[in-house]
Amino acid sequence: MQKRMSLLQVIKSLIKLTKAEEVLVSQLFKEKLYRKGEYFLEEGKICNLVGFVDKGIMRYYINDEGEEKNYDFAQEGQFVCDMESFAPQIPSRKTIQALEDATLFVISYDKLQEFYSKLRYGDRFGRLVIEQVFVRTLQDLNSFYTESPEERYRKFLDKHYDIDQRISQYHVASYLGVKPQSLSRIRKRILGRK
Amino acid sequence: MQKRMSLLQVIKSLIKLTKAEEVLVSQLFKEKLYRKGEYFLEEGKICNLVGFVDKGIMRYYINDEGEEKNYDFAQEGQFVCDMESFAPQIPSRKTIQALEDATLFVISYDKLQEFYSKLRYGDRFGRLVIEQVFVRTLQDLNSFYTESPEERYRKFLDKHYDIDQRISQYHVASYLGVKPQSLSRIRKRILGRK
């Protein structure tokens, strides 16, 4: 279970920051508000921001012939970005949307290059975060193809500690790849509710 | 189509290296030979090496209830590693095997940390390579679920410029997720052979 941390705490958990660098970080990231339902990224657009979720929940989904399939969530203390669009700066196949009114600290592609260059350990921070996101993405994918929805739901509860209570069960079911009725049965078994 | 480059050329295409750093790099990487059929990584073991393929072809596969499913290849000028096992140092679910007698330059997990720390732009190099591998992995996955085997085969030919002539069509078919007979038909259409 991940602790809720501020942006500076997350950075400082991975690299050393001088006081001057802390100031620079707070200049490079800008606070941005997203209303519930608003898009951080729309399919077909180039992802030009990395966001850090200070408050709220974001969902990632892919439009599969008209059906929105959730494949990830980000909440307080986590980064949000579509690396597949952001790194090569090409149009995205994915959509990222706020599921609650949200407060993010965002950094543009250009400012992020400045972050990497000007901070003594900027590239190290980038390397470590991308490694973590990469490994998590691979684990999620494996899980989707090898584990039962019930196992996946247990992992979801571990990873996203309170999202389950904050978003519609419809969105959770979409993430698990099951119908809402199946999720309801899984929840009864796991949570012991009748 | 990727040009064949030496390890130092690949590194210098992404970051600046001083002469002293070039010497350090050649000390940190060790030459290692793999016979055809030999394993770079076996399922259940921890991936403790990153390899750079100087000569030969490696295949990545996953054991799916007894069936070996190829999901990637690496050849001259490319890195080989299972990041999902390497980064967190946990047992791998994948296998990486030489399809030809191969010469790799390998670096251990510990030596790679030294590479990151001692080179001025070591972490930048790591960040850029992981970004590229991450994006390529996501593109491959999308391709598998959204593109036809024929489109995938065209991309395979683009990306792995001469692998098609060097390995068994059986391995290519496994990568495309089709039977060898289907690949044979696709090849006839694309290559115009009868």
Side-chain angles (χ1 to χ4, degrees):
Chain A
M1 191 181 287
Q2 190 171 345
K3 278 183 246 145
R4 294 193 184 204
M5 295 200 281
S6 72
L7 175 59
L8 278 180
Q9 283 173 328
V10 168
I11 297 175
K12 286 157 81 173
S13 73
L14 293 174
I15 58 167
K16 283 181 195 166
L17 278 188
T18 65
K19 284 289 166 197
E21 287 176 332
E22 287 191 23
V23 173
L24 180 61
V25 168
S26 59
Q27 286 164 349
L28 292 172
F29 282 84
K30 302 283 173 208
E31 189 173 349
K32 199 168 168 186
L33 307 178
Y34 293 84
R35 290 266 165 215
K36 181 174 177 173
E38 207 176 320
Y39 297 105
F40 176 82
L41 172 67
E42 285 179 271
E43 188 186 346
K45 304 228 169 125
I46 294 173
C47 183
N48 192 38
L49 295 175
V50 172
F52 175 83
V53 185
D54 190 56
K55 192 179 166 307
I57 296 177
M58 314 296 284
R59 71 163 172 143
Y60 294 72
Y61 68 86
I62 197 151
N63 190 321
D64 185 10
E65 296 176 358
E67 192 188 347
E68 295 177 0
K69 293 192 175 166
N70 294 337
Y71 67 94
D72 206 359
F73 301 96
Q75 71 179 116
E76 289 85 1
Q78 297 177 330
F79 287 98
V80 61
C81 178
D82 175 23
M83 274 297 292
E84 195 182 346
S85 167
F86 185 84
Q89 289 285 286
I90 58 170
S92 175
R93 287 184 264 210
K94 290 147 182 182
T95 303
I96 304 175
Q97 183 190 35
L99 284 184
E100 297 177 345
D101 289 351
T103 308
L104 271 63
F105 291 102
V106 300
I107 186 167
S108 69
Y109 184 87
D110 292 341
K111 295 283 183 195
L112 184 60
Q113 309 314 309
E114 218 177 307
F115 176 101
Y116 288 145
S117 299
K118 291 192 175 166
L119 266 65
R120 174 68 189 89
Y121 296 108
D123 279 306
R124 171 161 304 178
F125 178 74
R127 174 176 69 77
L128 292 170
V129 169
I130 294 165
E131 269 181 22
Q132 286 175 4
V133 174
F134 190 12
V135 169
R136 222 192 66 178
T137 302
L138 293 172
Q139 286 172 341
D140 269 10
L141 278 161
N142 280 328
S143 158
F144 197 82
Y145 292 104
T146 62
E147 294 179 341
S148 69
E150 183 158 336
E151 283 171 303
R152 283 172 49 70
Y153 183 57
R154 285 181 194 277
K155 285 198 178 163
F156 168 83
L157 291 177
D158 274 354
K159 199 171 74 179
H160 301 290
Y161 51 113
D162 68 353
I163 284 192
D164 193 53
Q165 281 92 58
R166 288 165 64 186
I167 67 175
S168 149
Q169 291 303 303
Y170 168 85
H171 283 310
V172 180
S174 166
Y175 170 77
L176 298 177
V178 300
K179 295 210 189 311
Q181 304 91 288
S182 308
L183 173 58
S184 183
R185 283 192 294 273
I186 292 171
R187 281 170 61 84
K188 276 187 191 154
R189 276 201 299 276
I190 290 187
L191 307 173
R193 292 181 198 151
K194 294 224 168 172
Chain B
M1 193 181 285
Q2 191 170 346
K3 279 182 243 144
R4 294 191 184 205
M5 294 201 280
S6 72
L7 174 59
L8 278 178
Q9 283 172 328
V10 168
I11 296 174
K12 285 158 81 173
S13 72
L14 294 174
I15 58 167
K16 283 181 196 166
L17 278 189
T18 64
K19 284 289 166 198
E21 287 176 333
E22 286 191 24
V23 173
L24 179 61
V25 168
S26 59
Q27 288 164 348
L28 292 173
F29 282 83
K30 301 285 174 208
E31 189 173 348
K32 199 168 169 187
L33 307 179
Y34 292 83
R35 289 268 167 214
K36 181 174 175 171
E38 207 176 319
Y39 297 105
F40 175 84
L41 172 67
E42 286 179 271
E43 188 186 345
K45 303 225 169 127
I46 294 172
C47 183
N48 191 37
L49 295 176
V50 173
F52 175 84
V53 184
D54 190 56
K55 194 181 163 309
I57 296 177
M58 314 296 284
R59 71 162 172 144
Y60 294 72
Y61 68 86
I62 196 151
N63 191 321
D64 185 10
E65 296 176 358
E67 192 188 347
E68 295 178 359
K69 293 193 173 164
N70 295 337
Y71 68 93
D72 206 359
F73 301 96
Q75 71 179 117
E76 289 84 0
Q78 297 177 330
F79 287 98
V80 62
C81 179
D82 175 23
M83 274 297 294
E84 195 181 346
S85 166
F86 185 84
Q89 289 285 286
I90 58 171
S92 175
R93 288 184 263 210
K94 290 147 182 182
T95 304
I96 305 175
Q97 183 190 34
L99 284 184
E100 297 177 346
D101 289 351
T103 309
L104 271 63
F105 291 101
V106 300
I107 186 167
S108 69
Y109 184 86
D110 291 341
K111 295 281 183 196
L112 185 60
Q113 309 314 309
E114 218 178 306
F115 176 101
Y116 288 145
S117 299
K118 291 191 175 166
L119 267 66
R120 174 69 187 89
Y121 296 109
D123 280 306
R124 172 161 304 180
F125 178 74
R127 174 177 68 78
L128 292 170
V129 169
I130 293 165
E131 269 181 20
Q132 287 175 4
V133 174
F134 190 10
V135 168
R136 223 190 66 176
T137 303
L138 293 173
Q139 286 172 340
D140 269 11
L141 278 161
N142 280 329
S143 158
F144 197 82
Y145 292 104
T146 62
E147 295 180 340
S148 69
E150 183 158 335
E151 285 172 302
R152 282 171 49 71
Y153 184 58
R154 285 180 194 276
K155 286 197 178 164
F156 168 82
L157 291 177
D158 274 354
K159 199 170 73 179
H160 302 292
Y161 50 113
D162 68 353
I163 286 193
D164 193 53
Q165 281 93 59
R166 290 165 63 187
I167 67 175
S168 150
Q169 291 303 303
Y170 169 84
H171 284 311
V172 180
S174 166
Y175 170 77
L176 298 177
V178 300
K179 295 208 189 313
Q181 306 91 288
S182 308
L183 172 58
S184 182
R185 282 193 293 274
I186 292 172
R187 281 169 60 83
K188 278 187 191 154
R189 276 201 298 277
I190 290 188
L191 308 172
R193 290 179 198 151
K194 295 227 164 167

